[in-house]
Amino acid sequence: MPADSISRMDSNGSNDNEKNIPPQNILGTSPGTSSLRSRTDSECSDKLARFVLPSMDGSPPKVMTLDEVTNVVKNIQNMELAHEIALNPEFKLQPYEPPENSLEKRIKDCMHKAFWDLLREQLNSDPPSYDYAIQLLSEIKECFPQILTQNNKLILDQINDILDESVIRQQAEKGVLDFQSYANFIIKIMGKSCAPARDDDIKKLTQIEDVVDMFKGILDTMALMKLDMANFLLDFSRNAIMANSVEYEKQKFNEYLEYYKFGFPATENWLQRNLTQTSNGTLITADQAMSNAYMELMDWKEDVDFPEILSTDKERILKLGQRAKRLCVGASLIAICSAVPVISQRSENRIELAKQIEILLHSITNEKEISEAIDNIWEQIKTVINKYLKKESQSTMDTDALDMLQTQIKQIANRDAPVRQLMWKRLQTYFRLALRSKGGLPPPPPGYVDFKDELEFYTTALKRVIAYNHSVFGEYFLQILTQRQTEPNNETVCASEGASSEAEMLPSQQ
Protein backbone atom coordinates (compact mmCIF):
# COMPACT_ATOMS: atom_id res chain seq x y z
CA MET A 1 0.00 0.00 0.00
CA PRO A 2 1.36 3.51 -0.75
CA ALA A 3 3.46 5.08 1.96
CA ASP A 4 3.21 8.66 3.29
CA SER A 5 6.69 9.52 4.58
CA ILE A 6 8.05 12.06 2.08
CA SER A 7 9.74 15.34 3.12
CA ARG A 8 8.64 18.65 1.57
CA MET A 9 10.98 20.05 -1.07
CA ASP A 10 11.76 23.61 -1.97
CA SER A 11 10.12 25.72 -4.66
CA ASN A 12 12.38 24.39 -7.40
CA GLY A 13 11.51 20.78 -6.79
CA SER A 14 14.62 19.97 -4.72
CA ASN A 15 15.10 19.18 -1.07
CA ASP A 16 17.39 20.91 1.40
CA ASN A 17 20.32 18.63 0.59
CA GLU A 18 20.28 19.74 -3.04
CA LYS A 19 20.77 23.47 -2.63
CA ASN A 20 24.56 23.33 -3.05
CA ILE A 21 24.68 20.61 -5.67
CA PRO A 22 26.78 21.56 -8.70
CA PRO A 23 24.95 21.84 -12.01
CA GLN A 24 26.36 18.65 -13.48
CA ASN A 25 24.75 16.62 -10.70
CA ILE A 26 21.35 18.23 -10.84
CA LEU A 27 20.78 17.77 -14.54
CA GLY A 28 20.06 14.06 -14.48
CA THR A 29 16.83 12.88 -16.04
CA SER A 30 15.24 9.50 -16.22
CA PRO A 31 17.75 6.82 -17.25
CA GLY A 32 14.87 5.07 -18.94
CA THR A 33 14.02 7.99 -21.19
CA SER A 34 15.03 7.29 -24.76
CA SER A 35 14.79 9.59 -27.73
CA LEU A 36 13.68 6.59 -29.83
CA ARG A 37 10.90 5.48 -27.53
CA SER A 38 7.45 5.62 -29.09
CA ARG A 39 4.53 7.42 -27.49
CA THR A 40 1.59 5.45 -26.14
CA ASP A 41 -2.01 6.52 -25.85
CA SER A 42 -2.31 8.26 -22.49
CA GLU A 43 -1.30 11.85 -21.84
CA CYS A 44 1.34 10.65 -19.42
CA SER A 45 2.78 8.45 -22.12
CA ASP A 46 4.44 11.55 -23.55
CA LYS A 47 7.56 10.60 -21.60
CA LEU A 48 9.62 12.89 -23.78
CA ALA A 49 7.98 16.03 -22.39
CA ARG A 50 8.15 18.65 -25.11
CA PHE A 51 8.48 22.39 -24.64
CA VAL A 52 8.25 25.36 -26.94
CA LEU A 53 11.42 27.38 -27.29
CA PRO A 54 10.19 30.99 -27.70
CA SER A 55 10.85 32.75 -31.00
CA MET A 56 14.24 34.47 -31.14
CA ASP A 57 14.74 37.44 -33.46
CA GLY A 58 11.73 36.54 -35.58
CA SER A 59 12.68 32.90 -36.09
CA PRO A 60 9.91 30.28 -35.80
CA PRO A 61 9.39 28.76 -32.33
CA LYS A 62 11.14 25.43 -31.82
CA VAL A 63 10.03 22.34 -29.92
CA MET A 64 12.49 20.66 -27.55
CA THR A 65 12.46 17.70 -25.17
CA LEU A 66 13.74 17.87 -21.60
CA ASP A 67 16.77 15.82 -22.66
CA GLU A 68 17.58 18.37 -25.37
CA VAL A 69 17.28 21.23 -22.86
CA THR A 70 19.62 19.35 -20.53
CA ASN A 71 22.08 18.75 -23.38
CA VAL A 72 22.18 22.49 -24.13
CA VAL A 73 22.84 23.25 -20.48
CA LYS A 74 25.63 20.68 -20.31
CA ASN A 75 27.35 21.10 -23.66
CA ILE A 76 26.61 24.66 -24.93
CA GLN A 77 26.51 23.34 -28.49
CA ASN A 78 23.44 25.25 -29.64
CA MET A 79 25.08 28.67 -29.84
CA GLU A 80 21.90 30.58 -30.66
CA LEU A 81 20.00 29.07 -27.72
CA ALA A 82 22.89 29.50 -25.29
CA HIS A 83 23.25 33.13 -26.40
CA GLU A 84 19.55 33.77 -25.75
CA ILE A 85 19.60 32.11 -22.33
CA ALA A 86 22.67 34.11 -21.33
CA LEU A 87 21.27 37.49 -22.38
CA ASN A 88 17.60 37.13 -21.54
CA PRO A 89 16.95 36.67 -17.80
CA GLU A 90 13.22 36.33 -18.55
CA PHE A 91 13.76 33.51 -21.04
CA LYS A 92 11.39 30.62 -20.25
CA LEU A 93 10.30 27.49 -22.03
CA GLN A 94 6.59 27.24 -22.71
CA PRO A 95 4.35 24.15 -22.69
CA TYR A 96 3.98 22.56 -26.09
CA GLU A 97 0.57 22.09 -27.68
CA PRO A 98 0.01 21.07 -31.32
CA PRO A 99 -1.56 23.82 -33.45
CA GLU A 100 -5.35 24.01 -33.23
CA ASN A 101 -7.12 22.05 -35.99
CA SER A 102 -3.83 20.41 -37.01
CA LEU A 103 -3.66 16.70 -37.81
CA GLU A 104 -1.35 16.17 -34.83
CA LYS A 105 -3.87 17.88 -32.54
CA ARG A 106 -6.78 15.78 -33.83
CA ILE A 107 -4.85 12.52 -33.51
CA LYS A 108 -3.66 13.40 -30.02
CA ASP A 109 -7.14 14.32 -28.80
CA CYS A 110 -8.63 11.20 -30.35
CA MET A 111 -6.04 8.88 -28.82
CA HIS A 112 -6.32 10.46 -25.39
CA LYS A 113 -10.10 10.32 -25.40
CA ALA A 114 -10.00 6.67 -26.43
CA PHE A 115 -7.57 5.88 -23.62
CA TRP A 116 -9.65 7.52 -20.90
CA ASP A 117 -12.89 6.03 -22.20
CA LEU A 118 -11.38 2.54 -22.20
CA LEU A 119 -9.90 3.06 -18.73
CA ARG A 120 -13.28 4.09 -17.36
CA GLU A 121 -14.98 1.16 -19.11
CA GLN A 122 -12.48 -1.33 -17.67
CA LEU A 123 -12.79 0.02 -14.11
CA ASN A 124 -16.61 -0.08 -14.31
CA SER A 125 -16.79 -3.59 -15.70
CA ASP A 126 -17.75 -6.56 -13.46
CA PRO A 127 -15.29 -7.78 -12.46
CA PRO A 128 -13.05 -4.74 -13.04
CA SER A 129 -10.19 -4.99 -15.51
CA TYR A 130 -6.96 -3.16 -14.69
CA ASP A 131 -4.86 -3.46 -17.85
CA TYR A 132 -5.03 0.25 -18.68
CA ALA A 133 -4.77 1.23 -15.01
CA ILE A 134 -1.53 -0.76 -14.65
CA GLN A 135 -0.16 0.82 -17.84
CA LEU A 136 -1.03 4.29 -16.54
CA LEU A 137 0.63 3.73 -13.14
CA SER A 138 3.74 2.37 -14.86
CA GLU A 139 3.98 5.45 -17.08
CA ILE A 140 3.45 7.81 -14.15
CA LYS A 141 6.32 6.07 -12.34
CA GLU A 142 8.56 6.77 -15.32
CA CYS A 143 7.55 10.45 -15.25
CA PHE A 144 8.74 11.08 -11.71
CA PRO A 145 12.49 11.15 -12.59
CA GLN A 146 11.67 14.08 -14.88
CA ILE A 147 10.20 16.16 -12.06
CA LEU A 148 12.61 14.97 -9.33
CA THR A 149 16.37 15.10 -9.60
CA GLN A 150 18.48 11.97 -9.30
CA ASN A 151 19.68 13.22 -5.91
CA ASN A 152 16.25 12.33 -4.51
CA LYS A 153 17.30 8.69 -4.59
CA LEU A 154 15.40 7.62 -1.48
CA ILE A 155 12.18 9.12 -2.76
CA LEU A 156 12.66 7.67 -6.24
CA ASP A 157 13.37 4.26 -4.72
CA GLN A 158 10.19 4.50 -2.69
CA ILE A 159 8.19 5.47 -5.78
CA ASN A 160 9.67 2.49 -7.65
CA ASP A 161 8.76 0.17 -4.78
CA ILE A 162 5.18 1.43 -4.39
CA LEU A 163 4.50 1.63 -8.13
CA ASP A 164 6.14 -1.71 -8.88
CA GLU A 165 4.24 -3.14 -11.83
CA SER A 166 4.59 -6.77 -10.73
CA VAL A 167 3.15 -6.00 -7.29
CA ILE A 168 0.29 -3.97 -8.79
CA ARG A 169 -0.46 -6.76 -11.24
CA GLN A 170 -0.57 -9.31 -8.41
CA GLN A 171 -3.02 -7.09 -6.50
CA ALA A 172 -5.17 -6.84 -9.62
CA GLU A 173 -5.19 -10.62 -10.09
CA LYS A 174 -6.26 -11.12 -6.47
CA GLY A 175 -8.97 -8.45 -6.80
CA VAL A 176 -7.50 -6.23 -4.06
CA LEU A 177 -6.10 -3.39 -6.20
CA ASP A 178 -7.17 -0.04 -4.75
CA PHE A 179 -6.70 2.35 -7.68
CA GLN A 180 -7.83 5.33 -5.60
CA SER A 181 -5.13 4.75 -2.99
CA TYR A 182 -2.45 4.90 -5.68
CA ALA A 183 -3.89 8.19 -6.90
CA ASN A 184 -3.70 9.56 -3.35
CA PHE A 185 -0.09 8.41 -3.02
CA ILE A 186 0.91 10.04 -6.32
CA ILE A 187 -0.79 13.32 -5.37
CA LYS A 188 0.97 13.30 -1.99
CA ILE A 189 4.37 12.87 -3.65
CA MET A 190 3.57 15.62 -6.14
CA GLY A 191 2.41 17.96 -3.37
CA LYS A 192 5.67 17.56 -1.45
CA SER A 193 7.91 17.95 -4.49
CA CYS A 194 6.24 20.70 -6.51
CA ALA A 195 6.93 24.43 -6.44
CA PRO A 196 4.64 26.46 -4.15
CA ALA A 197 3.02 27.94 -7.27
CA ARG A 198 1.51 24.50 -7.94
CA ASP A 199 -0.01 24.07 -4.45
CA ASP A 200 -3.44 25.21 -5.63
CA ASP A 201 -3.35 22.69 -8.48
CA ILE A 202 -2.48 19.92 -6.04
CA LYS A 203 -5.28 20.98 -3.69
CA LYS A 204 -7.79 20.84 -6.56
CA LEU A 205 -6.68 17.29 -7.34
CA THR A 206 -7.59 16.14 -3.84
CA GLN A 207 -11.10 17.51 -4.31
CA ILE A 208 -11.86 15.45 -7.44
CA GLU A 209 -14.15 12.53 -6.61
CA ASP A 210 -14.06 10.55 -9.86
CA VAL A 211 -10.83 8.54 -9.95
CA VAL A 212 -10.45 8.73 -13.75
CA ASP A 213 -10.88 12.51 -13.72
CA MET A 214 -8.41 12.61 -10.84
CA PHE A 215 -5.76 10.82 -12.89
CA LYS A 216 -6.40 13.13 -15.84
CA GLY A 217 -5.75 16.06 -13.47
CA ILE A 218 -2.62 14.34 -12.17
CA LEU A 219 -1.19 14.14 -15.68
CA ASP A 220 -2.03 17.77 -16.46
CA THR A 221 -0.25 18.88 -13.28
CA MET A 222 2.71 16.60 -13.95
CA ALA A 223 3.12 18.28 -17.35
CA LEU A 224 3.35 21.66 -15.57
CA MET A 225 5.89 20.25 -13.11
CA LYS A 226 8.02 18.99 -15.99
CA LEU A 227 7.96 22.51 -17.39
CA ASP A 228 8.94 23.89 -13.98
CA MET A 229 11.89 21.49 -13.85
CA ALA A 230 13.06 22.39 -17.36
CA ASN A 231 13.00 26.10 -16.54
CA PHE A 232 14.70 25.43 -13.20
CA LEU A 233 17.56 23.74 -15.04
CA LEU A 234 17.98 26.84 -17.21
CA ASP A 235 17.85 29.27 -14.28
CA PHE A 236 20.18 27.16 -12.14
CA SER A 237 22.79 27.01 -14.89
CA ARG A 238 22.40 30.49 -16.37
CA ASN A 239 25.71 31.88 -15.06
CA ALA A 240 27.61 28.80 -16.24
CA ILE A 241 25.90 29.01 -19.61
CA MET A 242 26.89 32.66 -19.93
CA ALA A 243 30.55 32.00 -19.10
CA ASN A 244 30.81 28.96 -21.34
CA SER A 245 28.88 30.45 -24.24
CA VAL A 246 31.18 33.50 -24.34
CA GLU A 247 34.21 31.25 -24.71
CA TYR A 248 32.41 29.02 -27.19
CA GLU A 249 31.30 31.94 -29.39
CA LYS A 250 34.75 33.50 -29.19
CA GLN A 251 36.36 30.23 -30.27
CA LYS A 252 33.94 29.74 -33.16
CA PHE A 253 34.39 33.35 -34.32
CA ASN A 254 38.17 33.01 -34.35
CA GLU A 255 37.86 29.78 -36.35
CA TYR A 256 35.59 31.60 -38.78
CA LEU A 257 38.12 34.42 -39.23
CA GLU A 258 40.80 31.92 -40.24
CA TYR A 259 39.10 31.22 -43.57
CA TYR A 260 36.82 34.26 -44.00
CA LYS A 261 39.07 37.04 -45.32
CA PHE A 262 36.52 39.49 -46.76
CA GLY A 263 35.92 41.54 -43.63
CA PHE A 264 32.67 42.97 -42.29
CA PRO A 265 31.99 46.32 -44.02
CA ALA A 266 29.06 47.46 -41.84
CA THR A 267 30.97 46.59 -38.66
CA GLU A 268 34.08 48.41 -39.86
CA ASN A 269 32.07 51.48 -40.88
CA TRP A 270 30.32 51.51 -37.49
CA LEU A 271 33.64 51.50 -35.63
CA GLN A 272 35.53 53.86 -37.93
CA ARG A 273 32.91 56.62 -38.00
CA ASN A 274 33.28 56.75 -34.21
CA LEU A 275 37.04 57.12 -34.53
CA THR A 276 36.74 60.90 -34.56
CA GLN A 277 39.25 63.67 -33.93
CA THR A 278 39.77 65.61 -30.75
CA SER A 279 39.67 69.39 -30.58
CA ASN A 280 43.41 69.60 -31.30
CA GLY A 281 43.12 67.45 -34.44
CA THR A 282 44.38 64.12 -33.15
CA LEU A 283 42.41 60.90 -33.42
CA ILE A 284 40.75 59.68 -30.24
CA THR A 285 42.00 56.35 -28.92
CA ALA A 286 40.64 53.00 -30.05
CA ASP A 287 39.08 52.46 -26.63
CA GLN A 288 37.33 55.82 -26.78
CA ALA A 289 36.06 55.06 -30.29
CA MET A 290 34.70 51.71 -29.14
CA SER A 291 32.85 53.36 -26.24
CA ASN A 292 31.32 55.87 -28.65
CA ALA A 293 30.33 53.05 -30.98
CA TYR A 294 28.52 51.29 -28.15
CA MET A 295 26.72 54.53 -27.34
CA GLU A 296 25.51 54.70 -30.95
CA LEU A 297 23.56 51.50 -30.31
CA MET A 298 21.20 53.49 -28.07
CA ASP A 299 19.58 55.11 -31.11
CA TRP A 300 20.40 53.24 -34.30
CA LYS A 301 19.39 55.05 -37.47
CA GLU A 302 17.15 53.07 -39.81
CA ASP A 303 19.07 54.02 -42.97
CA VAL A 304 22.43 52.78 -41.65
CA ASP A 305 23.56 49.18 -42.14
CA PHE A 306 23.67 47.32 -38.84
CA PRO A 307 27.03 45.73 -37.84
CA GLU A 308 27.09 42.17 -39.19
CA ILE A 309 28.88 40.84 -36.13
CA LEU A 310 26.06 42.00 -33.85
CA SER A 311 23.31 40.60 -36.08
CA THR A 312 22.31 37.96 -33.52
CA ASP A 313 21.28 40.76 -31.17
CA LYS A 314 19.97 43.19 -33.79
CA GLU A 315 16.29 42.84 -32.87
CA ARG A 316 17.09 43.03 -29.18
CA ILE A 317 19.19 46.19 -29.59
CA LEU A 318 16.64 47.90 -31.84
CA LYS A 319 13.82 47.16 -29.40
CA LEU A 320 15.92 48.56 -26.56
CA GLY A 321 16.45 51.66 -28.70
CA GLN A 322 12.68 52.03 -28.91
CA ARG A 323 12.47 51.83 -25.11
CA ALA A 324 15.14 54.53 -24.83
CA LYS A 325 13.13 56.76 -27.16
CA ARG A 326 9.97 56.25 -25.09
CA LEU A 327 11.91 57.00 -21.91
CA CYS A 328 13.25 60.23 -23.36
CA VAL A 329 9.84 61.36 -24.60
CA GLY A 330 8.22 60.53 -21.24
CA ALA A 331 10.86 62.42 -19.29
CA SER A 332 10.51 65.40 -21.66
CA LEU A 333 6.74 65.50 -21.18
CA ILE A 334 7.02 65.37 -17.40
CA ALA A 335 9.67 68.12 -17.48
CA ILE A 336 7.28 70.41 -19.39
CA CYS A 337 4.29 69.52 -17.19
CA SER A 338 6.34 70.34 -14.11
CA ALA A 339 5.90 74.00 -15.01
CA VAL A 340 2.40 73.60 -13.59
CA PRO A 341 2.57 73.90 -9.76
CA VAL A 342 -0.05 71.23 -9.14
CA ILE A 343 2.36 68.79 -10.85
CA SER A 344 5.75 70.03 -9.66
CA GLN A 345 4.66 70.65 -6.05
CA ARG A 346 2.72 67.40 -5.64
CA SER A 347 4.99 64.39 -6.13
CA GLU A 348 2.05 61.99 -6.02
CA ASN A 349 0.39 63.85 -8.91
CA ARG A 350 3.59 63.84 -10.93
CA ILE A 351 4.16 60.11 -10.36
CA GLU A 352 0.59 59.27 -11.36
CA LEU A 353 0.86 61.38 -14.50
CA ALA A 354 4.19 59.73 -15.38
CA LYS A 355 2.55 56.30 -15.15
CA GLN A 356 -0.27 57.39 -17.45
CA ILE A 357 2.21 58.80 -19.95
CA GLU A 358 4.15 55.52 -19.83
CA ILE A 359 0.99 53.63 -20.70
CA LEU A 360 0.22 55.95 -23.63
CA LEU A 361 3.77 55.54 -24.97
CA HIS A 362 3.95 51.80 -24.40
CA SER A 363 3.33 50.64 -27.98
CA ILE A 364 5.23 53.43 -29.75
CA THR A 365 8.19 52.27 -31.85
CA ASN A 366 9.20 55.20 -34.09
CA GLU A 367 9.05 58.96 -34.64
CA LYS A 368 5.96 58.76 -36.85
CA GLU A 369 4.00 57.03 -34.11
CA ILE A 370 5.09 59.67 -31.60
CA SER A 371 3.68 62.38 -33.89
CA GLU A 372 0.44 60.43 -34.31
CA ALA A 373 0.05 59.90 -30.56
CA ILE A 374 0.95 63.38 -29.33
CA ASP A 375 -2.60 64.76 -29.66
CA ASN A 376 -4.04 61.99 -27.49
CA ILE A 377 -1.21 62.47 -25.00
CA TRP A 378 -1.98 66.18 -24.80
CA GLU A 379 -5.68 65.54 -24.20
CA GLN A 380 -4.84 63.13 -21.40
CA ILE A 381 -2.39 65.57 -19.79
CA LYS A 382 -4.93 68.40 -19.97
CA THR A 383 -7.64 66.23 -18.41
CA VAL A 384 -5.37 65.02 -15.61
CA ILE A 385 -4.08 68.51 -14.73
CA ASN A 386 -7.59 69.96 -14.59
CA LYS A 387 -8.68 67.04 -12.45
CA TYR A 388 -5.91 67.76 -9.96
CA LEU A 389 -6.80 71.47 -9.91
CA LYS A 390 -10.46 70.70 -9.33
CA LYS A 391 -9.56 68.29 -6.55
CA GLU A 392 -7.79 71.13 -4.73
CA SER A 393 -10.66 73.54 -5.45
CA GLN A 394 -8.49 75.60 -7.80
CA SER A 395 -9.71 77.11 -11.04
CA THR A 396 -8.78 75.23 -14.19
CA MET A 397 -6.07 76.59 -16.49
CA ASP A 398 -7.09 79.55 -18.62
CA THR A 399 -6.98 79.45 -22.40
CA ASP A 400 -3.61 81.21 -22.76
CA ALA A 401 -1.90 78.87 -20.28
CA LEU A 402 -3.42 75.84 -21.96
CA ASP A 403 -2.35 77.02 -25.41
CA MET A 404 1.22 77.60 -24.24
CA LEU A 405 1.39 74.20 -22.55
CA GLN A 406 -0.14 72.50 -25.60
CA THR A 407 2.45 74.08 -27.90
CA GLN A 408 5.30 72.89 -25.69
CA ILE A 409 3.85 69.39 -25.41
CA LYS A 410 3.38 69.03 -29.17
CA GLN A 411 6.94 70.15 -29.81
CA ILE A 412 8.11 66.92 -28.18
CA ALA A 413 7.00 65.07 -31.32
CA ASN A 414 10.06 66.69 -32.93
CA ARG A 415 13.23 64.86 -31.91
CA ASP A 416 15.18 68.15 -32.26
CA ALA A 417 13.02 69.96 -29.70
CA PRO A 418 15.31 71.59 -27.07
CA VAL A 419 13.73 69.82 -24.08
CA ARG A 420 13.93 66.46 -25.79
CA GLN A 421 17.54 67.05 -26.82
CA LEU A 422 18.39 67.91 -23.22
CA MET A 423 16.71 64.76 -21.90
CA TRP A 424 18.46 62.63 -24.49
CA LYS A 425 21.87 63.99 -23.46
CA ARG A 426 21.04 63.22 -19.84
CA LEU A 427 20.08 59.68 -20.78
CA GLN A 428 23.33 59.25 -22.72
CA THR A 429 25.38 60.55 -19.81
CA TYR A 430 23.58 58.21 -17.44
CA PHE A 431 24.27 55.24 -19.70
CA ARG A 432 27.95 56.16 -19.99
CA LEU A 433 28.17 56.17 -16.20
CA ALA A 434 26.35 52.83 -16.05
CA LEU A 435 28.79 51.30 -18.57
CA ARG A 436 31.72 52.48 -16.47
CA SER A 437 30.20 51.20 -13.22
CA LYS A 438 31.42 47.83 -11.96
CA GLY A 439 28.70 47.68 -9.33
CA GLY A 440 25.17 49.02 -9.15
CA LEU A 441 23.57 51.62 -11.36
CA PRO A 442 23.92 55.37 -10.71
CA PRO A 443 20.91 57.35 -9.44
CA PRO A 444 18.47 58.52 -12.14
CA PRO A 445 19.33 61.86 -13.77
CA PRO A 446 16.97 64.88 -13.39
CA GLY A 447 13.70 64.25 -15.20
CA TYR A 448 13.95 60.46 -15.02
CA VAL A 449 13.21 59.88 -11.34
CA ASP A 450 9.57 59.01 -12.06
CA PHE A 451 10.67 56.47 -14.67
CA LYS A 452 13.28 54.80 -12.45
CA ASP A 453 12.11 51.20 -12.94
CA GLU A 454 11.95 51.45 -16.72
CA LEU A 455 15.26 53.33 -16.82
CA GLU A 456 17.03 50.64 -14.82
CA PHE A 457 15.49 47.82 -16.83
CA TYR A 458 16.58 49.43 -20.10
CA THR A 459 20.09 50.23 -18.85
CA THR A 460 20.68 46.78 -17.38
CA ALA A 461 19.45 45.04 -20.52
CA LEU A 462 21.55 47.09 -22.96
CA LYS A 463 24.60 46.94 -20.71
CA ARG A 464 24.26 43.14 -20.60
CA VAL A 465 24.12 42.92 -24.41
CA ILE A 466 27.13 45.21 -24.83
CA ALA A 467 29.18 43.46 -22.14
CA TYR A 468 28.50 40.04 -23.63
CA ASN A 469 29.42 41.05 -27.17
CA HIS A 470 32.47 42.97 -25.96
CA SER A 471 33.67 39.80 -24.24
CA VAL A 472 33.30 37.86 -27.49
CA PHE A 473 34.32 40.41 -30.15
CA GLY A 474 36.16 43.16 -28.23
CA GLU A 475 39.62 42.07 -29.35
CA TYR A 476 38.52 42.05 -33.00
CA PHE A 477 36.97 45.51 -32.64
CA LEU A 478 40.19 46.90 -31.16
CA GLN A 479 42.16 45.31 -33.97
CA ILE A 480 40.04 47.10 -36.60
CA LEU A 481 40.36 50.44 -34.81
CA THR A 482 44.09 50.09 -34.18
CA GLN A 483 44.71 49.26 -37.83
CA ARG A 484 42.75 52.36 -38.83
CA GLN A 485 44.80 54.51 -36.49
CA THR A 486 48.13 53.31 -37.89
CA GLU A 487 47.25 53.55 -41.60
CA PRO A 488 49.85 55.65 -43.49
CA ASN A 489 47.28 58.16 -44.75
CA ASN A 490 46.44 59.22 -41.20
CA GLU A 491 48.39 62.40 -40.47
CA THR A 492 48.24 61.89 -36.72
CA VAL A 493 48.66 58.61 -34.89
CA CYS A 494 47.31 58.18 -31.38
CA ALA A 495 48.13 54.96 -29.54
CA SER A 496 45.40 53.33 -27.50
CA GLU A 497 47.68 52.81 -24.51
CA GLY A 498 47.12 56.39 -23.44
CA ALA A 499 43.37 55.96 -22.98
CA SER A 500 43.25 54.36 -19.55
CA SER A 501 40.58 56.69 -18.22
CA GLU A 502 38.25 56.19 -21.19
CA ALA A 503 39.04 52.46 -21.32
CA GLU A 504 37.32 52.14 -17.97
CA MET A 505 34.07 52.81 -19.82
CA LEU A 506 34.38 49.56 -21.76
CA PRO A 507 32.10 47.01 -20.16
CA SER A 508 33.32 43.87 -18.48
CA GLN A 509 31.29 40.68 -18.44
CA GLN A 510 29.20 40.57 -15.28
Side-chain angles (χ1 to χ4, degrees):
M1 197 59 64
D4 297 337
S5 55
I6 304 294
S7 60
R8 174 74 190 214
M9 300 181 187
D10 68 18
S11 62
N12 291 320
S14 58
N15 59 29
D16 292 338
N17 295 327
E18 292 180 48
K19 292 184 178 178
N20 296 316
I21 295 170
Q24 64 267 26
N25 295 331
I26 203 167
L27 299 178
T29 54
S30 171
T33 301
S34 167
S35 60
L36 300 178
R37 186 155 188 169
S38 62
R39 298 172 62 195
T40 52
D41 298 345
S42 74
E43 288 163 276
C44 187
S45 63
D46 193 0
K47 298 178 184 69
L48 295 181
R50 294 185 290 173
F51 310 104
V52 176
L53 179 67
S55 172
M56 295 179 291
D57 299 335
S59 61
K62 300 175 183 176
V63 179
M64 301 183 70
T65 66
L66 183 58
D67 282 347
E68 289 170 333
V69 173
T70 301
N71 188 58
V72 169
V73 171
K74 282 184 174 181
N75 301 319
I76 316 297
Q77 290 180 347
N78 184 328
M79 191 157 62
E80 181 185 17
L81 175 57
H83 187 98
E84 183 69 18
I85 294 170
L87 287 182
N88 185 359
E90 298 178 356
F91 180 87
K92 296 288 183 184
L93 297 167
Q94 303 295 330
Y96 171 74
E97 275 295 329
E100 205 65 38
N101 299 321
S102 66
L103 178 61
E104 181 184 5
K105 172 74 170 172
R106 293 196 296 271
I107 292 175
K108 176 184 175 182
D109 291 345
C110 182
M111 292 176 68
H112 287 176
K113 184 179 186 304
F115 177 87
W116 293 115
D117 288 346
L118 286 170
L119 175 62
R120 191 182 300 277
E121 181 180 323
Q122 286 189 351
L123 294 177
N124 290 335
S125 62
D126 188 16
S129 173
Y130 293 105
D131 290 342
Y132 277 87
I134 293 171
Q135 174 189 337
L136 179 59
L137 291 173
S138 177
E139 291 173 351
I140 288 176
K141 182 179 73 172
E142 293 188 35
C143 285
F144 270 110
Q146 294 188 33
I147 60 178
L148 298 172
T149 67
Q150 292 299 299
N151 301 90
N152 284 295
K153 187 176 184 303
L154 292 177
I155 298 174
L156 290 170
D157 287 345
Q158 185 177 17
I159 292 170
N160 289 332
D161 289 341
I162 298 300
L163 299 181
D164 184 276
E165 184 174 339
S166 61
V167 173
I168 295 172
R169 196 170 293 279
Q170 290 176 11
Q171 292 175 347
E173 291 171 354
K174 295 178 181 179
V176 295
L177 175 62
D178 186 349
F179 198 42
Q180 179 69 56
S181 70
Y182 281 101
N184 294 338
F185 167 73
I186 292 166
I187 292 172
K188 187 168 292 187
I189 295 286
M190 293 168 64
K192 293 176 179 178
S193 60
C194 69
R198 303 297 175 202
D199 285 347
D200 286 344
D201 296 320
I202 299 297
K203 183 178 179 181
K204 290 176 183 177
L205 291 178
T206 63
Q207 298 169 350
I208 300 175
E209 296 182 359
D210 182 86
V211 69
V212 174
D213 290 339
M214 181 178 287
F215 269 99
K216 288 174 70 175
I218 285 172
L219 299 188
D220 289 340
T221 306
M222 271 193 156
L224 295 175
M225 292 174 68
K226 290 176 186 178
L227 181 65
D228 292 341
M229 176 57 74
N231 281 318
F232 169 62
L233 295 178
L234 294 183
D235 288 340
F236 189 91
S237 305
R238 191 177 301 276
N239 289 337
I241 290 173
M242 179 178 289
N244 291 334
S245 63
V246 164
E247 291 305 314
Y248 185 74
E249 287 194 47
K250 192 172 183 179
Q251 173 191 340
K252 290 298 180 183
F253 180 67
N254 288 333
E255 291 174 1
Y256 184 74
L257 289 178
E258 289 181 5
Y259 66 84
Y260 185 79
K261 305 298 182 182
F262 302 102
F264 303 94
T267 301
E268 293 171 11
N269 290 337
W270 166 57
L271 294 170
Q272 290 173 3
R273 69 171 162 267
N274 284 287
L275 189 60
T276 56
Q277 292 185 341
T278 64
S279 57
N280 60 7
T282 61
L283 287 175
I284 63 174
T285 67
D287 289 322
Q288 288 172 320
M290 190 179 299
S291 292
N292 290 340
Y294 288 143
M295 294 295 297
E296 188 181 352
L297 297 177
M298 291 181 65
D299 184 23
W300 193 265
K301 302 202 170 30
E302 295 180 359
D303 58 346
V304 178
D305 290 337
F306 198 82
E308 304 93 338
I309 287 180
L310 301 181
S311 59
T312 300
D313 290 315
K314 178 179 178 179
E315 288 299 315
R316 195 192 317 273
I317 291 170
L318 294 180
K319 286 180 179 178
L320 285 171
Q322 293 168 7
R323 297 187 82 142
K325 190 170 294 184
R326 291 194 293 266
L327 262 171
C328 178
V329 171
S332 302
L333 292 169
I334 285 295
I336 291 172
C337 292
S338 294
V340 181
V342 76
I343 298 297
S344 60
Q345 297 175 9
R346 305 286 187 274
S347 60
E348 65 277 12
N349 291 348
R350 192 185 68 250
I351 292 171
E352 183 182 347
L353 179 60
K355 289 180 179 178
Q356 294 187 34
I357 288 174
E358 246 185 324
I359 293 171
L360 293 171
L361 293 172
H362 179 70
S363 60
I364 286 176
T365 61
N366 55 52
E367 293 295 329
K368 181 181 177 183
E369 291 177 358
I370 294 175
S371 297
E372 293 172 349
I374 200 68
D375 286 335
N376 288 335
I377 292 173
W378 158 244
E379 290 298 328
Q380 181 66 19
I381 289 173
K382 180 176 67 173
T383 300
V384 168
I385 289 177
N386 283 330
K387 182 186 77 172
Y388 293 150
L389 291 171
K390 186 176 180 180
K391 184 178 178 180
E392 296 190 8
S393 301
Q394 298 183 41
S395 58
T396 58
M397 297 179 68
D398 59 42
T399 303
D400 291 342
L402 280 175
D403 289 344
M404 182 180 298
L405 186 61
Q406 180 182 15
T407 300
Q408 293 175 331
I409 292 294
K410 291 192 173 184
Q411 283 179 350
I412 299 303
N414 180 1
R415 65 180 298 153
D416 295 324
V419 174
R420 191 167 158 188
Q421 286 287 303
L422 174 63
M423 289 300 165
W424 183 252
K425 288 179 181 178
R426 288 179 179 176
L427 182 58
Q428 286 183 310
T429 302
Y430 175 85
F431 189 68
R432 282 187 184 274
L433 292 173
L435 274 182
R436 185 185 298 128
S437 172
K438 303 296 183 183
L441 296 176
Y448 287 88
V449 175
D450 301 315
F451 302 92
K452 183 174 183 292
D453 291 344
E454 176 67 7
L455 176 67
E456 291 183 352
F457 178 93
Y458 159 77
T459 304
T460 301
L462 185 56
K463 183 178 178 181
R464 185 187 295 115
V465 174
I466 289 175
Y468 186 96
N469 283 283
H470 183 73
S471 296
V472 177
F473 306 115
E475 292 177 5
Y476 179 73
F477 293 160
L478 279 174
Q479 179 183 339
I480 292 175
L481 289 166
T482 303
Q483 287 176 348
R484 172 62 176 162
Q485 285 179 319
T486 56
E487 285 177 358
N489 60 346
N490 285 332
E491 296 181 0
T492 307
V493 177
C494 181
S496 62
E497 285 80 359
S500 58
S501 60
E502 184 68 23
E504 293 178 357
M505 289 188 61
L506 295 178
S508 60
Q509 184 67 22
Q510 296 180 358

